Amino acid sequence: MTAPASQIGLVGQSVKRVEDPILLTGRAKHIDDLHFPDMLHTAILRSPYPHATIVSIDASAALALPGVVAVLTGEELVNHAGPSRDYGAEWYALAVGKVRYVGEPVVAVAATSRYVAEDALDLIDVEYDPLPAVANARQAIEADAPRLYPTLDTNIVYKKTFSYGDPGRALEGADLVVTGKFRIPRLSANPMETAGVISQFDPATGGATSWSNVQAPAVALGTLVATLGIPMDRARAMVQPHGGSFGSKIALGKFIVITTVLSKLCGGRPVKYIEDRIEHLMASGSHAWEREYDVGFGFDRAGHCLGWRMVVLSDVGATGGPTQTLKALTCLVGPYRVRDVEYDITTAVSNKGGDGPYRGYGPPTHFLVIERMMDKAAAALGLDPAEIRRRNFIQPEQFPYMQPNGVEYDSGNYPEVLRVALERAGYEELRKEQERLRSEGRLAGIGVAFGVEPGGFRGQTGPYREWPAGGSLAPEAATIHLQENGDLVVDVYFAMEGQGHFTFATQVVAAYFGVPMERVRVVSAEPRLTTPSTGPMGSRQSVTLTFALRGACDLLREKLLALGAHMLDLPAEDLGIRDGRVVPASAEGKSLSLGDLAAVMHGKPADMPVGLDLDPSVTCSWTAPPPEDREGSPYLTYANGCHVVLLEVDRETGQVAILKYVIADDCGTRLNPRVVEGITQGGLAQGIGFALLEEYVYSEDGQPLSVSFMDYLLPTIYEVPLAEKAAVVTPSPATPYGQKGAGEGAIHVTPAAVFCAVNDALAPLGVELTQAPASPRRIWEAIQASPSSG
Amino acid sequence: MKPAPFTYFAPTSIEETIGLLQRYGDEAKILAGGQSLVPLLNMRLARPTALIDINRIPRLDEIVTEDDAIVVGARVTERQLERHPVVAERLPLLVALVKLIGHPQIRNRGTVCGSIAHGDPSAELPAGALALDATVTVTGPTGERTIAVDDFYLGYLATALAGDEMMTQVRFPIPAAGTGWSVQEVARRHGDFALVGAVALVRVEGGRIAATNVVSFGTGGRPLRFPEVEAKLVGSVPGEALFSEAAEAITELLDPDDDVHASAAYRRQVAGVLVRRALEEALRRCEGGSR
Amino acid sequence: MTTEARPQATERTISVVVNGERRSATVLDRKTLADFLREDLELTGTHVGCEHGVCGACTLLLNGRAVRSCLLLAVQADGQEIQTIEGLAKGDELHSIQQAFWEEHGLQCGYCTGGIIMSTLAMLEDNPHPSDEEIYEVLGGHLCRCTGYEDIFKSVKRAIELRGQGR
């Protein structure tokens, strides 16, 4: 598994990113930067009701508006496209018969400009018959709640208790049982670029092409083929570099469907749709993590956690499923040596926009709960929060560590990560500083939180197989073309998205062949059904793409050595590749450059040995070996991190000021340390948003109220602490360089750390904050409940 | 998110502007900096027939510093005011208020008069104008009139500006020498509109408060002044207890609204906290230095 | 939603100097400057992130000042001078601010970056030695969802250094 030292070279160095020059100069072509001749623009009329029957739609005035070319309703759409299906329910890209959330697409217009298309929306007359709405999961699970789907006799789409060991006995036998209830609101990724698609149907062939900023190109291809019935050989899904995704752009299917059908109705003209920010905030389909927790944790006197019970109620909106709640099963016990645990999930649909992926895919709330409960136990037992964690950690010698549910952690050294974090934070001094502030009557709080990060997503294995949509493996592909001059062009099958994938891919390939980075060029290639590949998700590319790249490198190497052996008249096994040359193992005598070999492969068949495949292009579509049993982990690596924060709460206004923030984390070997640090800081920022600012607020009857950037608040530079960061490196045994997925680590821990710190600050008042975000209002309300307040 | 159709006008004189306002009445909107209006246009929440851009009218971009006042023309941007050396020296409260508005990129376009004319109850400049006893000058078909800011604000986003009038300037009187000042606010993020805020001016003579102006904002349909509370403060010896009492009295008078960021109860009580803090800081400023 | 008679879609011809080059075009009165640059002049480096003036992605320089181009109409720019991200690099040679952002990893997805660079340019043209507080003020007007701002801040500091070296 481990890469030979000779192939490491550039890997692990903080080289400048190869993605940047085109981005810095404004020359990258994002989806909305593409302008095709005759292109039409789409605007979408969306439901103003959370739940209503569509009585009639009159779009004649819109169709008569100069510049409008086509109007598409759900009734027409079903003639061209199939539904999405999940949990026995189905829905279409445009509402058919009824609407189930505010912002649900109802009518789409294609016109010569977006301006005219939006004018046309004003002219469409839709008559609705409002139905009683289900505003949240609590309402949804009531026996007499209105039903969202006629095919279901309940709004509960998933319910199961996962129990391991004997949690009942663990809690009964505990010296201390701490309980807690938590509410997490909806939040979402909100990348700076919204979703966008251009589709073109070819009336001559029945084929279709979509250009989009989809995160997972396979999803786009799948939509064309499975939902729109485009023949496999005539479906093309191109991906443009995109302005961030964090999960939100995985599922753009409905926009691909709408624009493709519109293109078909418009005689094959290309049709563009760009989601605007209000549409994104209202109904992106990527809202996430609205949950209630009701938990009990048992401890012995020494602070050892004996077991816990977690009951989770998830509101997944009209079209979400339980997988983001199921993901906690892959990191069920967090960093702790706990064997008797229960995780009880109820997932309900409601009349709000659908739940969808957001960076982390669920566990950030899981760790918020676990870490807060650790603090509560520590307080009850008179232990320092750092100490109670230390006493419960899985120990370094226990790895690979099998969790009670059969999901394995590859590696780690949690005590060391904690130690480094505390040392960097000057923890003892920090506690003294807190005491000093408290003695002045100020509310200072410290949070120490730990989390693990499932990374290197290998597919819908293990716990995900609980869900019918799961069950597939997720390959990743790379192709290497040896150019005639010896340069290497590397095709990957996804778009630039921000994580520096193209940079580390360049580092890996250049290091493998010992060539300078300038001689390797990574490009985003057209995804093809014949080259199965998945794209970024689940902190996977530093692991999965690396396997694919090295697989392709191995294939090319084999060819180069075979050809080299022929040309040098030496046995292939006596040859190696060094500094961009095929050289004898003895390092003496003649050697050949990649260019020498490429020249032969490209055009001198007479010099080729007979019977060898010397095609200068090689492809590896890598799939992780499936877990040996059903309960294996869908993740190959488990990075982990510890955050320490000092903050102050203004007792009169409820405002939070972060005074110090330290992160120590261990994601194994860092392919490009500077890139990893940037991603960590970015995850921290999103975690700060979760902890302090972000929340989709709904009225009691299901109207979304956070539909602009004035109300859904992303953190700015003022709100995000510039964290001090320290790296601990415990190489993963599962990957070539010892690297681990690192894309989601910080957001797993930041909300927990800040939440713990706010509660630590409030502790002298005897009150507790149990809802995120820790907004001034919420904190103030908690303070008002204090027996010692006014 | 594209504006509905309108016709754009770029008049070059106030008279021409008034003529357009008369012609289009309620269907017209004046465009100055556009930092509040254009988002509403893009969202189609505002749908004027005529958009009248006053940025081509000469001389409205001037800040005139008089002996006892700073006079700001209709096109003066917040950034211009913020960076004006005389304003910084003689009326630092204005600079402090403006620095709480959005970000430099917003203030580069956003105008002082525009903010005051829009009259968002959570905005800093209307509150500051009220605290400073500013007056606005508006011009209509029959000529100019001057309105005290307190009379200008009628209710939520409602002002005394008639449909055929435009605001041409605002005049901020410079408080008497030795007056201390403060602006306090709670916003969710730096640069956001305040959830709630307070502005205070305090002047002390012979150990007693000689004059004070107190404003609360974000707590009603418009920024609010409290003459009775101010009257009680005047003549008293300033101190913690006095200011707490004043803050409490003001809290009693408030009846704010709920929104997604804060509850009425939060606004009410925190308004009092901020009034107290503003008075305290204003007092420190008048004790501590020449201003 | 109103369906009353709407005004006609009026348009006019405007002339602007963009990145030193005079460009004339006929535009709808209601078209934003951002859309005009992106669609009519095909200068797509100015990105649109929110269309209500909050995110800052569309920031460019109008007569040397950093402004939101989603909150300006194209017709308002008639006769004015505009600088966009496309005007910075000279061929393949990056502008010193771009170079600084490259060296300090001041971008990840890069979508917000053009606007941030334009704000930085305006700041440094005005004051080559801004304080950290001033840098925060300017960066405070931009939302970035990837970087958490640290490397952006470092990039601006680096840009100040490079500029000091005459680059």
Side-chain angles (χ1 to χ4, degrees):
Chain A
M1 193 71 68
T2 307
S6 66
Q7 293 172 5
I8 290 175
L10 286 161
V11 176
Q13 294 186 22
S14 289
V15 298
K16 293 206 294 274
R17 302 194 329 160
V18 302
E19 289 92 340
D20 291 356
I22 195 173
L23 295 167
L24 285 164
T25 49
R27 285 181 289 122
K29 288 293 174 197
H30 294 85
I31 183 67
D32 196 23
D33 302 340
L34 299 182
H35 294 277
F36 296 148
D38 280 336
M39 190 166 74
L40 299 170
H41 301 261
T42 306
I44 296 177
L45 185 68
R46 291 163 178 271
S47 169
Y49 291 101
H51 200 190
T53 304
I54 298 171
V55 178
S56 64
I57 298 176
D58 179 358
S60 51
L63 205 46
L65 186 74
V68 173
V69 181
V71 175
L72 178 64
T73 63
E75 298 224 332
E76 172 67 14
L77 181 123
V78 301
N79 298 324
H80 308 276
S84 297
R85 289 194 182 87
D86 209 346
Y87 39 78
E90 58 179 43
W91 56 87
Y92 289 84
L94 291 170
V96 177
K98 77 172 188 169
V99 289
R100 293 186 178 85
Y101 56 94
V102 173
E104 181 168 3
V106 176
V107 185
V109 173
T112 48
S113 82
R114 177 68 175 244
Y115 287 77
V116 173
E118 291 192 16
D119 293 346
L121 299 188
D122 289 348
L123 303 174
I124 298 171
D125 193 10
V126 182
E127 191 186 331
Y128 295 96
D129 192 359
L131 297 166
V134 177
N136 54 52
R138 280 267 154 244
Q139 289 179 15
I141 60 176
E142 281 168 19
D144 59 348
R147 301 276 186 265
L148 262 73
Y149 293 98
T151 49
L152 304 176
D153 60 359
T154 170
N155 293 319
I156 295 172
V157 295
Y158 185 84
K159 187 170 174 55
K160 186 164 177 175
T161 304
F162 297 87
S163 198
Y164 306 100
D166 191 344
R169 201 189 53 197
L171 287 169
E172 276 159 32
D175 297 323
L176 169 72
V177 174
V178 284
T179 60
K181 290 187 178 187
F182 301 87
R183 285 187 67 167
I184 312 293
R186 310 188 126 208
L187 49 154
S188 81
N190 264 297
M192 296 325 298
E193 179 203 40
T194 55
V197 179
I198 302 170
S199 298
Q200 184 162 27
F201 180 79
D202 184 346
T205 67
T209 302
S210 87
W211 295 257
S212 75
N213 54 18
V214 71
Q215 179 180 330
V219 175
L221 272 175
T223 300
L224 289 170
V225 173
T227 311
L228 285 156
I230 306 296
M232 241 184 231
D233 60 322
R234 276 158 275 171
R236 302 181 65 193
M238 325 294 281
V239 287
Q240 300 305 122
H242 46 99
S245 175
F246 317 105
S248 73
K249 288 172 180 152
I250 287 178
L252 304 190
K254 62 176 179 277
F255 301 139
I256 293 172
V257 169
I258 289 168
T259 49
T260 305
V261 175
L262 280 171
S263 174
K264 195 172 175 184
L265 297 179
C266 297
R269 291 174 74 171
V271 176
K272 178 190 267 190
Y273 171 69
I274 304 294
E275 182 189 48
D276 70 34
R277 183 58 61 181
I278 289 179
E279 295 176 306
H280 184 80
L281 289 162
M282 190 187 291
S284 63
S286 60
H287 289 182
W289 310 344
E290 181 176 1
R291 292 165 188 178
E292 289 181 23
Y293 285 85
D294 190 344
V295 307
F297 281 47
F299 291 83
D300 69 15
R301 263 180 210 92
H304 297 114
C305 185
L306 304 174
W308 67 58
R309 233 187 213 134
M310 276 195 193
V311 179
V312 189
L313 175 62
S314 296
D315 178 342
V316 293
T319 57
T323 49
Q324 292 201 81
T325 316
L326 286 167
K327 185 176 175 184
L329 290 166
T330 71
C331 48
L332 184 63
V333 297
Y336 304 120
R337 225 169 39 237
V338 184
R339 305 304 301 177
D340 300 296
V341 291
E342 190 166 297
Y343 187 64
D344 176 298
I345 306 176
T346 302
T347 299
V349 287
S350 72
N351 289 116
K352 295 191 294 212
D355 170 280
Y358 178 29
R359 189 179 198 169
Y361 210 63
T365 68
H366 187 64
F367 295 131
L368 184 150
V369 171
I370 292 175
E371 293 300 277
R372 175 66 192 132
M373 297 311 288
M374 285 287 162
D375 273 9
K376 286 177 83 158
L381 296 166
L383 287 172
D384 186 274
E387 181 56 28
I388 197 167
R389 286 166 173 80
R390 199 178 286 123
R391 290 186 189 180
N392 283 287
F393 278 150
I394 296 162
Q395 294 302 305
E397 63 276 12
Q398 291 179 286
F399 290 98
Y401 183 79
M402 191 65 84
Q403 295 186 82
N405 62 347
V407 175
E408 191 179 84
Y409 291 167
D410 64 318
S411 62
N413 187 345
Y414 304 156
E416 176 64 6
V417 172
L418 176 71
R419 188 192 67 76
V420 170
L422 296 179
E423 184 183 281
R424 283 297 181 95
Y427 186 62
E428 280 176 29
E429 285 306 309
L430 223 53
R431 284 286 175 202
K432 283 181 195 154
E433 170 71 0
Q434 179 184 28
E435 278 318 304
R436 191 184 65 75
L437 292 167
R438 277 184 175 168
S439 70
E440 292 173 9
R442 293 162 70 179
L443 300 177
I446 294 175
V448 178
F450 209 98
V452 300
E453 178 192 5
F457 176 62
R458 79 165 102 187
Q460 305 277 350
T461 61
Y464 290 133
R465 286 156 77 170
E466 278 298 321
W467 191 239
S472 63
L473 295 170
E476 192 64 34
T479 299
I480 300 179
H481 307 280
L482 177 64
Q483 305 289 99
E484 199 167 355
N485 66 356
D487 286 0
L488 299 159
V489 170
V490 181
D491 287 346
V492 295
Y493 298 92
F494 59 92
M496 288 200 301
E497 177 177 294
Q499 301 94 320
H501 298 135
F502 288 31
T503 299
F504 77 68
T506 307
Q507 290 174 266
V508 164
V509 174
Y512 187 103
F513 292 104
V515 299
M517 280 180 66
E518 295 70 36
R519 298 197 54 197
V520 178
R521 196 161 66 86
V522 178
V523 298
S524 177
E526 180 182 344
R528 293 176 190 283
L529 289 163
T530 48
T531 309
S533 200
T534 306
M537 60 173 72
S539 292
R540 68 184 248 122
Q541 291 302 56
S542 68
V543 175
T544 44
L545 179 63
T546 299
F547 273 115
L549 290 164
R550 290 185 55 84
C553 287
D554 287 345
L555 292 172
L556 184 58
R557 178 175 192 271
E558 205 175 302
K559 290 187 181 189
L560 293 171
L561 294 184
L563 179 58
H566 174 76
M567 290 170 69
L568 295 172
D569 202 16
L570 286 167
E573 50 278 17
D574 288 355
L575 297 176
I577 294 183
R578 202 170 308 136
D579 300 333
R581 304 184 73 84
V582 169
V583 294
S586 62
E588 282 166 22
K590 264 187 74 176
S591 66
L592 296 162
S593 71
L594 291 188
D596 297 336
L597 295 155
V600 173
M601 291 165 95
H602 273 267
K604 297 181 185 164
D607 293 346
M608 291 187 191
V610 177
L612 279 186
D613 165 19
L614 292 177
D615 179 351
S617 296
V618 291
T619 295
C620 172
S621 186
W622 185 84
T623 303
E628 279 157 26
D629 59 45
R630 188 178 155 73
E631 292 298 341
S633 177
Y635 298 90
L636 295 166
T637 62
Y638 281 83
N640 53 87
C642 181
H643 294 206
V644 180
V645 55
L646 170 69
L647 53 74
E648 182 177 357
V649 170
D650 183 323
R651 71 163 72 216
E652 289 185 314
T653 65
Q655 288 169 290
V656 171
I658 294 177
L659 306 176
K660 190 177 184 75
Y661 207 105
V662 173
I663 299 176
D665 69 349
D666 181 357
C667 55
T669 307
R670 290 150 185 252
L671 301 180
N672 184 319
R674 192 68 197 269
V675 165
V676 173
E677 274 179 33
I679 283 179
T680 301
Q681 176 70 22
L684 161 72
Q686 291 180 341
I688 291 290
F690 175 154
L692 298 179
L693 294 165
E694 297 178 35
E695 175 176 18
Y696 285 105
V697 181
Y698 287 79
S699 71
E700 278 170 22
D701 57 355
Q703 283 286 341
L705 302 178
S706 312
V707 293
S708 82
F709 269 167
M710 316 283 271
D711 289 319
Y712 190 85
L713 306 177
L714 304 187
T716 75
I717 189 170
Y718 285 102
E719 287 75 43
V720 181
L722 308 188
E724 187 179 337
K725 299 175 197 75
V728 173
V729 178
T730 309
S732 170
T735 60
Y737 306 100
Q739 80 275 25
K740 302 180 184 183
E744 298 162 306
I747 196 175
H748 278 71
V749 191
T750 308
V754 174
F755 213 71
C756 286
V758 166
N759 275 300
D760 188 42
L762 297 178
L765 302 178
V767 297
E768 190 182 357
L769 184 73
T770 58
Q771 279 193 53
S775 62
R777 171 199 179 154
R778 289 244 166 76
I779 291 177
W780 178 83
E781 282 168 357
I783 292 173
Q784 299 311 299
S786 165
S788 59
S789 89
Chain B
M1 269 182 94
K2 308 295 180 190
F6 53 73
T7 303
Y8 170 85
F9 297 93
T12 53
S13 71
I14 292 172
E15 296 68 36
E16 196 185 338
T17 307
I18 304 300
L20 287 165
L21 288 170
Q22 285 181 291
R23 188 159 121 216
Y24 287 97
D26 290 348
E27 294 294 311
K29 280 271 181 200
I30 287 186
L31 173 65
Q35 304 301 287
S36 298
L37 177 58
V38 180
L40 296 175
L41 294 176
N42 288 355
M43 295 176 193
R44 299 195 177 210
L45 295 173
R47 295 162 174 255
T49 304
L51 193 67
I52 307 169
D53 181 358
I54 61 168
N55 285 292
R56 312 262 166 183
I57 305 176
R59 284 191 307 283
L60 291 181
D61 59 346
E62 288 167 8
I63 297 174
V64 178
T65 56
E66 300 175 353
D67 283 349
D68 59 348
I70 306 284
V71 182
V72 177
R75 285 172 50 203
V76 171
T77 63
E78 291 152 347
R79 192 73 168 155
Q80 226 179 312
L81 187 73
E82 171 191 347
R83 307 184 77 175
H84 196 287
V86 178
V87 175
E89 194 198 318
R90 303 196 53 207
L91 201 36
L93 169 61
L94 273 186
V95 176
L97 288 164
V98 166
K99 275 180 166 289
L100 292 169
I101 303 171
H103 312 283
Q105 299 87 343
I106 295 290
R107 305 200 289 270
N108 275 337
R109 290 295 300 178
T111 63
V112 175
C113 285
S115 172
I116 289 172
H118 186 53
D120 190 299
S122 298
E124 292 83 2
L125 274 175
L130 183 60
L132 288 165
D133 289 317
T135 52
V136 299
T137 302
V138 305
T139 304
T142 56
E144 264 186 17
R145 60 188 183 117
T146 297
I147 311 167
V149 163
D150 204 5
D151 300 325
F152 184 70
Y153 293 123
L154 305 176
Y156 182 72
L157 299 185
T159 68
L161 195 67
D164 54 4
E165 289 177 322
M166 73 170 277
M167 187 189 293
T168 49
Q169 66 178 43
V170 57
R171 186 173 190 280
F172 297 103
I174 296 171
T179 302
W181 57 272
S182 174
V183 52
Q184 300 283 328
E185 71 172 38
V186 174
R188 292 293 303 275
R189 293 173 304 185
H190 191 93
D192 282 347
F193 277 107
L195 302 184
V196 51
V199 183
L201 299 175
V202 175
R203 186 162 57 85
V204 176
E205 265 173 32
R208 290 179 185 273
I209 295 176
T212 182
N213 295 1
V214 183
V215 168
S216 169
F217 61 106
T219 47
R222 47 159 284 176
L224 302 167
R225 264 295 274 279
F226 305 95
E228 288 166 25
V229 178
E230 291 171 3
K232 273 197 176 169
L233 288 168
V234 171
S236 305
V237 178
E240 216 170 287
L242 180 74
F243 289 163
S244 294
E245 215 174 281
E248 237 163 78
I250 285 172
T251 302
E252 294 299 313
L253 297 169
L254 296 175
D255 183 20
D257 286 331
D258 279 320
D259 68 15
V260 300
H261 298 301
S263 61
Y266 176 88
R267 286 201 161 86
R268 204 154 161 264
Q269 185 166 329
V270 175
V273 170
L274 297 183
V275 163
R276 194 195 76 228
R277 290 182 183 181
L279 284 167
E280 286 168 357
E281 187 178 61
L283 176 68
R284 280 198 298 277
R285 283 206 170 99
C286 65
E287 283 171 346
S290 57
R291 281 184 293 280
Chain C
M1 226 150 263
T2 56
T3 50
E4 77 268 22
R6 331 195 113 274
Q8 292 303 302
T10 48
E11 57 182 32
R12 66 198 64 221
T13 300
I14 63 168
S15 168
V16 291
V17 175
V18 184
N19 301 328
E21 197 183 323
R22 179 162 295 282
R23 306 284 295 264
S24 294
T26 301
V27 287
L28 285 174
D29 283 5
R30 61 167 157 159
K31 194 161 208 173
T32 64
L33 180 58
D35 284 351
F36 169 69
L37 291 169
R38 294 176 44 74
E39 293 171 9
D40 299 55
L41 302 189
E42 293 179 21
L43 291 168
T44 54
T46 297
H47 296 157
V48 171
C50 75
E51 295 181 280
H52 54 288
V54 180
C55 79
C58 67
T59 303
L60 47 70
L61 305 197
L62 182 72
N63 303 328
R65 292 209 179 84
V67 298
R68 311 285 206 227
S69 62
C70 73
L71 297 188
L72 275 161
L73 302 170
V75 290
Q76 287 183 278
D78 189 16
Q80 326 264 324
E81 196 172 321
I82 293 164
Q83 283 166 273
T84 68
I85 188 69
E86 287 94 341
L88 263 62
K90 301 270 179 288
D92 281 342
E93 193 193 332
L94 297 179
H95 185 279
S96 61
I97 300 176
Q98 293 167 322
Q99 180 68 28
F101 273 70
W102 195 15
E103 289 176 12
E104 293 292 341
H105 290 244
L107 65 159
Q108 287 179 26
C109 83
Y111 196 76
C112 67
T113 311
I116 293 175
I117 288 176
M118 296 315 288
S119 275
T120 304
L121 176 65
M123 173 173 66
L124 297 186
E125 293 281 321
D126 184 57
N127 173 9
H129 302 288
S131 65
D132 286 2
E133 192 188 335
E134 286 165 312
I135 297 172
Y136 260 64
E137 262 208 308
V138 166
L139 295 181
H142 291 274
L143 294 177
C144 167
R145 199 54 162 164
C146 297
T147 63
Y149 304 105
E150 181 172 12
D151 286 335
I152 296 176
F153 181 74
K154 287 181 178 165
S155 299
V156 174
K157 300 286 276 187
R158 177 69 183 143
I160 295 166
E161 252 174 52
L162 287 178
R163 204 180 172 90
Q165 296 162 10
R167 298 193 44 194

